[in-house]
């Protein structure tokens, strides 16, 4: 299959950033006096930040408002994203190769806009994305394909000619229904779904170096 455009997820896919949320998961319950479940990250991984905050408020009876809770997460994460979070192995090389070939790529993320902009600006690639879209703006989680469809539409590329890189399984079936390709990037935080991703994804890679070595030439015109 030859693709003409690419859509990336951010956290856990392009960025090695899930450790930030582990750190926050450890620290913010102490701030609020909460005891969260061990699978907390798995529960909220596919949600928008708005939905995750609402889930926290209802599940753990947090007294903060939705906006206050989101601001707490943002404040805790901002410094780490701005100074410490880096790309996953091979990500820069893949982005550079796509850019050299004139293949447009966009971002579809559930992250906070400030975290996205500051980390990608420091790394030097923020301006390279054709379009950057945020789940919160759609009011839907990633089990719904709207954000990916909007990214493809913005690039002017038919859905069946778009390849999506993701680390979570939530959008896989919806993306396949609309004809988008799905490349699963291994992420240790989602170990329990790794086998299923490997079975159902069009591509399953440990990192972007593997994609470049094994699949790039058969996926994009060279």
């Amino acid at each position: 299959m030859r693709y003409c455009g690419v859509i990336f997820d951010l956290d856990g896919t392009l960025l090695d950033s899930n450790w930030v949320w582990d750190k926050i998961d450890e620290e913010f319950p102490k701030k609020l006096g909460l005891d969260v479940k061990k699978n907390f990250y798995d529960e909220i991984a596919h949600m928008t930040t708005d939905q995750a905050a609402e889930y926290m408020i209802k599940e753990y009876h947090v007294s903060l408002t939705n906006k206050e809770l989101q601001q707490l997460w943002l404040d805790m994460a901002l410094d780490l994203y701005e100074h410490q979070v880096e790309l996953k192995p091979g990500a820069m090389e893949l982005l550079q190769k796509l850019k050299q070939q004139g293949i447009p790529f966009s971002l579809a993320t559930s992250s906070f806009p400030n975290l996205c902009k500051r980390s990608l600006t420091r790394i030097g690639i923020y301006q390279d994305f054709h379009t950057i879209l945020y789940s919160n703006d759609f009011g839907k989680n990633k089990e719904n394909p709207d954000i990916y469809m909007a990214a493809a539409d913005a690039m002017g590329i038919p859905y069946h000619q778009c390849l999506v890189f993701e680390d979570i399984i939530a959008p896989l079936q919806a993306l396949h229904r609309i004809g988008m390709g799905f490349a699963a990037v291994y992420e240790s935080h989602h170990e329990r779904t790794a086998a299923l991703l490997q079975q159902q994804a069009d591509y399953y890679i440990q990192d972007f170096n593997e994609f470049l070595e094994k699949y790039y030439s058969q996926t994009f015109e060279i």
Side-chain angles (χ1 to χ4, degrees):
M1 177 65 188
R2 301 289 182 177
Y3 295 99
C4 300
V6 181
I7 302 170
F8 291 98
D9 168 56
L10 186 65
D11 291 307
T13 302
L14 273 183
L15 288 184
D16 182 14
S17 55
N18 282 337
W19 63 270
V20 171
W21 300 104
D22 284 345
K23 187 177 179 66
I24 291 174
D25 288 350
E26 291 177 7
E27 294 181 359
F28 91 85
K30 298 175 185 176
K31 290 179 178 287
L32 301 177
L34 301 176
D35 182 20
V36 297
K37 301 174 184 177
K38 290 183 178 180
N39 67 338
F40 171 73
Y41 184 82
D42 287 335
E43 290 290 329
I44 67 170
H46 69 287
M47 297 181 186
T48 69
T49 53
D50 185 69
Q51 289 172 334
E54 198 63 33
Y55 168 82
M56 280 292 302
I57 291 168
K58 291 181 178 179
E59 184 73 18
Y60 298 101
H61 309 291
V62 176
S63 58
L64 298 176
T65 66
N66 189 303
K67 288 185 178 180
E68 288 171 339
L69 187 53
Q70 289 191 53
Q71 190 62 48
L72 175 61
W73 287 337
L74 179 59
D75 291 343
M76 295 177 72
L78 201 52
D79 182 67
L80 297 174
Y81 270 76
E82 190 166 15
H83 297 103
Q84 296 186 39
V85 168
E86 299 294 344
L87 291 174
K88 282 198 165 182
M92 180 65 82
E93 290 77 8
L94 175 57
L95 293 174
Q96 289 176 339
K97 198 159 189 176
L98 292 170
K99 187 177 179 181
Q100 289 168 1
Q101 284 191 247
I103 298 170
F105 48 89
S106 291
L107 198 66
T109 176
S110 298
S111 187
F112 293 95
N114 277 354
L115 299 184
C116 175
K117 186 172 183 178
R118 292 198 189 189
S119 57
L120 298 186
T121 297
R122 169 179 52 84
I123 294 168
I125 59 174
Y126 182 78
Q127 71 286 348
D128 293 335
F129 290 90
H130 182 282
T131 302
I132 297 179
L133 299 176
Y134 300 94
S135 294
N136 259 7
D137 293 333
F138 291 81
K140 299 175 182 178
N141 63 36
K142 283 194 165 184
E143 291 178 334
N144 185 288
D146 284 10
I147 189 171
Y148 307 99
M149 294 165 65
D153 290 342
M155 293 187 290
I157 297 173
Y159 302 152
H160 72 279
Q161 293 180 347
C162 282
L163 178 64
V164 175
F165 284 91
E166 270 281 3
D167 66 314
I168 60 174
I169 198 168
L172 190 150
Q173 291 185 352
L175 291 177
H176 276 173
R177 281 198 300 271
I178 62 173
M180 286 190 181
F182 191 98
V185 182
Y186 173 76
E187 168 54 52
S188 60
H189 285 71
H190 308 308
E191 186 70 46
R192 66 183 180 84
T193 59
L196 194 57
L197 274 172
Q198 192 165 11
Q199 292 172 7
Q200 297 186 10
D202 300 294
Y203 305 92
Y204 182 82
I205 55 173
Q206 292 295 314
D207 58 37
F208 292 104
N209 286 320
E210 181 180 359
F211 184 83
L212 286 166
E213 293 169 6
K214 291 184 177 180
Y215 305 118
Y216 190 91
S217 62
Q218 70 188 49
T219 307
F220 302 103
E221 296 289 349
I222 295 180

